[in-house]
Amino acid sequence: MLLNQDVQRFAKLEDKVCVKTDVPTEFDALIVSCGFKPRTELAELAGLEVGRGIKVNQSMQTSDEAIYALGDVAELPNGKLYAFILPIRSQAHWLAGFIAGHEQPNWTPPVFTTRAKVHGFEAVHPYNV
């Protein structure tokens, strides 16, 4: 098992897809996880409570009641960060309505499915071939 590898490129070799990394290795299966880490330094310097992201309540309010956060930097009470367009857009629309007094407290994430897109690579699930 190799972790934290920098993927340099993908290459097709006969009926296999090869992933070129810093360490030459062969695999029977591969999991590619393209993650992110929210940059919370400024929030922390401002005295906001941070964890994996800027901690918010269900109303997207930070530990300073005058400051709201949303998107892939906002860590909800359940510890989740939503780094996908659909929930981020939902948060933005909801928060605008909430601040204007048109929405009830407590943002609820929309039902959505994720789809990974990596330039030049098509994700294939072995059971969906």
Side-chain angles (χ1 to χ4, degrees):
M1 176 188 313
L2 293 176
L3 301 174
N4 299 320
Q5 295 296 302
D6 290 325
V7 175
Q8 297 169 352
R9 66 186 167 97
F10 296 96
K12 186 148 178 113
L13 181 60
E14 297 174 11
D15 63 338
K16 296 182 179 185
V17 174
C18 300
V19 180
K20 302 294 183 178
T21 65
D22 298 331
V23 180
T25 310
E26 290 186 18
F27 300 96
D28 294 326
L30 175 73
I31 297 173
V32 177
S33 176
C34 301
F36 70 97
K37 182 179 180 197
R39 297 189 62 188
T40 59
E41 299 87 1
L42 183 59
E44 196 168 12
L45 286 171
L48 300 179
E49 187 179 346
V50 299
R52 292 177 49 220
I54 300 171
K55 293 192 175 213
V56 297
N57 61 21
Q58 284 299 129
S59 296
M60 310 309 292
Q61 195 171 39
T62 67
S63 54
D64 180 326
E65 63 183 36
I67 300 175
Y68 294 82
L70 59 84
D72 57 3
V73 74
E75 179 183 345
L76 276 89
N78 62 4
K80 287 190 177 184
L81 301 163
Y82 289 91
F84 299 98
I85 296 299
L86 185 70
I88 292 171
R89 187 169 187 219
S90 169
Q91 287 175 350
H93 284 281
W94 178 88
L95 185 56
F98 178 71
I99 290 172
H102 302 297
E103 293 287 341
Q104 297 296 317
N106 298 341
W107 174 75
T108 304
V111 175
F112 70 101
T113 56
T114 58
R115 182 178 297 172
K117 294 180 183 179
V118 178
H119 181 72
F121 176 73
E122 181 180 333
V124 178
H125 189 283
Y127 303 112
N128 294 336
V129 178

